[in-house]
Amino acid sequence: MIGLVVIFTILCVINFFFVQNGVEFDTYTGTLEAVIIIGYAILYLIKENDNEQNITWEQSGLNWIVISFLIYYGCGLFMFISSNYLLHATRSVNIIVWSVFDTITLVEYLLFATGFYKCKT
């Protein structure tokens, strides 16, 4: 994990100074970030699936939070990849795309709230 953090940080700095000059949206690092978080979320779910627990899946608050990460970053991966293209798209396309992304963000927050509520009990 520490090695991945160091490599990701170095790639972010290289991307900022040499690849995408600070004027463009950082699509490369945002995409890489989404892939890393999706990978860790899937690994968590696999690990939790192997553990024998006395509670059901929906009773675990961490499952709700991990699913919210998967939904947000899975859907947001499209946004991170195509965000520079969307800068040049028409206003109506931007309104539709950002409205969908805002809805996905709202779903993420609702799943977070559910997860935190389940963790409390």
Side-chain angles (χ1 to χ4, degrees):
M1 179 78 174
I2 294 173
L4 186 60
V5 169
V6 170
I7 291 171
F8 181 72
T9 304
I10 291 169
L11 289 175
C12 288
V13 170
I14 291 171
N15 182 58
F16 180 78
F17 286 112
F18 301 112
V19 181
Q20 292 177 317
N21 54 11
V23 176
E24 298 174 340
F25 188 71
D26 59 343
T27 56
Y28 301 136
T29 55
T31 302
L32 182 60
E33 168 198 11
V35 169
I36 291 170
I37 291 175
I38 289 169
Y40 273 110
I42 290 172
L43 286 175
Y44 173 81
L45 288 177
I46 290 171
K47 181 183 168 210
E48 284 298 305
N49 190 34
D50 292 341
N51 291 342
E52 292 293 327
Q53 297 178 347
N54 295 334
I55 60 173
T56 61
W57 185 91
E58 67 271 358
Q59 290 175 330
S60 172
L62 291 177
N63 286 339
W64 289 90
I65 294 170
V66 169
I67 292 300
S68 71
F69 279 138
L70 284 174
I71 290 173
Y72 176 77
Y73 285 102
C75 296
L77 192 59
F78 165 76
M79 294 294 295
F80 300 138
I81 292 172
S82 62
S83 59
N84 280 329
Y85 168 75
L86 291 173
L87 292 174
H88 305 293
T90 63
R91 181 171 168 79
S92 60
V93 169
N94 273 309
I95 289 173
I96 291 169
V97 169
W98 287 107
S99 296
V100 169
F101 191 69
D102 291 342
T103 305
I104 291 167
T105 304
L106 177 66
V107 169
E108 177 197 24
Y109 292 154
L110 291 173
L111 290 172
F112 268 170
T114 304
F116 290 144
Y117 177 74
K118 298 281 184 175
C119 285
K120 184 178 80 169
T121 60

